């Protein structure tokens, strides 16, 4: 009997324990790693009316803006937006991103001799809230980078990629209208959606490339060829030539740097529906380097640039030691570009923010904040400058149903700022955190990943010398 009582007591204890475990196995309420709620944030939506939404609640699920000021889920990561400002992710409409390649021919199966860490390259963009870029020196390596971003093995911006067609050089070469048309068709077959026309195309081939691009439903961006120099301004604006890559393309076509000439360009651009990337950063940095080789050395962001490019910019800079006469000319061009911005604004001809990132001194990601500041100095309001880097680029790229504004249903490409950029455009630099396709990077995380890039670059400085690039 004694053993039976013990056994019965033991059985009862085990039963109660099992029952207790069954009840306790109910899932605990956990944070959903794919859902975020930003509370009490001020939204600058960058829509056409751009009415600021104060103290709002934004729900993000997966990579989509799920709701604004609607019901909030019980399971979510909460972000305190009190006193902060939410804007769309920024778009740089003119970049040259590094990609794998070779400086020597090598043997047929060797592959690239220089391989860049894709995440290190893309970190510079996302750390600065640049969530979309327009790659204007498209190579097949850029498609690989885009695929890594889309499959989420790399955190990076959305990439639109243009194929470059030129009359000479290392791009797709076309010297006749027939070659030009075939080059466009080939580019489409390779997966390009945009064509960039370049400096050395002759007039007939330039026009044929643009005409064929229209037939292939591909938009055209790029340079105005030197073949047009000395010709009437109206000849520069060919139908379907949709976007000029630099204000410099206009200043190279004239010796008349008057405001009246800028107005003429603006009128013709508006009539032809040709948009403009002023790209003020380009001439500002050319002028800095022409005046002093120390301008790049003193850049606080240089440490984030791959050591091979650091070496090139510092030791093989084609603008250093420019003559006083050339510096004077660069100054005139810079001033004329500001007049062009004013004239395009007056005419209502659309302008897009782009920086030529990757050209010596112009550092990916960081440069877009410089460009926004330059645009405001040239006469744009802070809202107009922000529009040039958000809603309007999305419209030109034909993805405005997906990005460019803070609205329900759009991709969660967003920047959380500590200060209001409508009050001061420099406040775009006061980044508290960035959503990149729904992935949240707070300021601490951004600082960590930037530090990793700088440390990697510093550790490999001796390996990557521009003068030794053929031996890599």
């Amino acid at each position: 009997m004694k053993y039976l009582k013990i056994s019965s007591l033991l059985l009862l204890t085990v039963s109660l324990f099992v029952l207790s475990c069954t009840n306790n196995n109910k899932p605990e309420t956990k944070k959903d790693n794919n859902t975020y709620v930003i509370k009490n944030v001020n939204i600058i939506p960058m829509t056409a009316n751009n009415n600021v939404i104060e103290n709002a609640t934004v729900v993000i699920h997966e990579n989509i803006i799920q709701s604004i000021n609607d019901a909030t889920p019980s399971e979510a990561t909460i972000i305190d937006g009190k006193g902060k400002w939410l804007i769309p992710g920024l778009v740089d409409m003119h970049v040259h991103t590094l990609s794998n390649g070779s400086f020597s021919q090598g043997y047929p199966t060797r592959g690239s001799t220089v391989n860049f860490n894709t995440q290190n390259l893309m970190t510079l963009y996302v750390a600065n809230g640049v969530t979309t870029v327009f790659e204007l020196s498209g190579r097949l390596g850029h498609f690989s980078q885009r695929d890594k971003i889309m499959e989420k093995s790399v955190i990076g911006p959305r990439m639109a990629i243009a194929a470059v067609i030129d009359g000479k050089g290392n791009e797709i070469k076309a010297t006749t209208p027939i070659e030009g048309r075939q080059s466009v068709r080939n580019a489409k077959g390779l997966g390009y959606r945009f064509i960039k026309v370049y400096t050395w195309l002759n007039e007939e081939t330039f026009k044929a490339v643009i005409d064929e691009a229209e037939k292939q439903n591909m938009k055209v961006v790029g340079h105005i060829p030197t073949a047009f120099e000395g010709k009437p301004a109206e000849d520069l604006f060919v139908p379907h030539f949709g976007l000029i890559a630099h204000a410099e393309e206009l200043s190279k076509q004239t010796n008349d740097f008057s405001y009246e000439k800028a107005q003429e360009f603006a009128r013709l651009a508006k009539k032809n529906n040709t948009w403009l990337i002023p790209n003020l950063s380009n001439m500002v940095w050319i002028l800095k380097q022409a005046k002093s080789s120390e301008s790049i050395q003193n850049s606080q962001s240089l440490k984030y640039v791959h050591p091979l490019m650091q070496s090139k910019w510092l030791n093989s800079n084609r603008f250093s030691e420019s003559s006083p006469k050339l510096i004077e000319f660069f100054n005139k061009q810079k001033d004329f570009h500001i007049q062009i911005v004013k004239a395009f604004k007056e005419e209502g001809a659309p302008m897009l923010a782009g920086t030529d990132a990757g050209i010596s001194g112009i550092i990916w990601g960081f440069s877009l904040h410089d460009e926004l500041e330059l645009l405001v100095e040239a006469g744009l309001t802070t809202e107009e400058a922000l529009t040039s880097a958000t809603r309007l680029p999305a419209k030109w790229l034909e993805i405005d149903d997906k990005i460019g504004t803070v609205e329900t249903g759009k991709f969660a490409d967003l920047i959380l700022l500590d200060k209001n950029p409508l009050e001061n455009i420099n406040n775009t630099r006061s980044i508290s955190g960035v959503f990149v396709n729904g992935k949240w990077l707070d300021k601490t995380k951004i600082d960590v990943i930037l530090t990793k890039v700088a440390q990697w670059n510093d550790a490999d400085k001796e390996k990557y010398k521009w003068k030794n690039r053929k031996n890599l």
Side-chain angles (χ1 to χ4, degrees), residues 94 260 265:
H94 190 151
E260 289 71 25
F265 286 143

Side-chain angles (χ1 to χ4, degrees), residues 103 308-309 311-312 316 464-470:
F103 291 101
L308 186 63
M309 289 297 101
S311 179
K312 180 185 180 184
S316 185
Y464 293 101
K465 297 290 186 182
W466 183 251
K467 64 181 180 181
N468 298 329
R469 62 193 181 280
K470 293 185 178 180

Side-chain angles (χ1 to χ4, degrees), residues 260-288:
E260 289 71 25
K261 191 65 178 180
Q263 288 177 309
E264 181 186 12
F265 286 143
R267 285 195 299 271
L268 292 167
K270 179 71 180 294
K271 181 180 178 181
N272 196 57
N273 194 28
T274 299
W275 295 26
L276 172 68
I277 303 171
N279 211 332
L280 300 178
S281 300
N282 176 281
M283 190 51 63
V284 166
W285 268 102
I286 288 175
L287 188 57
K288 282 182 179 181

Side-chain angles (χ1 to χ4, degrees), residues 35-39 57-59 67 69-76 78:
T35 303
Y36 296 86
V37 176
I38 311 174
K39 290 191 171 182
T57 298
V58 181
V59 177
S67 67
N69 283 341
D70 206 341
T72 58
S74 57
E75 300 180 8
I78 306 298

Side-chain angles (χ1 to χ4, degrees), residues 376-444:
V376 171
E377 289 176 0
L380 298 193
T381 65
T382 53
E383 184 173 341
E384 288 168 340
L386 286 171
T387 301
S388 77
T390 53
R391 186 176 77 250
L392 285 183
K395 182 178 180 181
W396 195 90
L397 292 170
E398 298 182 345
I399 52 174
D400 50 324
D401 61 327
K402 296 174 173 60
I403 69 162
T405 57
V406 184
E407 294 181 279
T408 301
K410 293 199 173 180
F411 286 133
D413 295 350
L414 304 163
I415 313 174
L416 188 63
L417 300 172
D418 290 325
K419 300 176 184 177
N420 184 356
L422 295 176
E423 292 180 355
N424 186 328
I425 198 62
N426 282 316
N427 289 342
T428 60
R429 305 175 196 269
S430 66
I431 295 174
S432 178
V434 178
F435 276 100
V436 187
N437 199 25
K439 174 74 173 179
W440 171 241
L441 304 173
D442 62 21
K443 178 62 175 172
T444 300

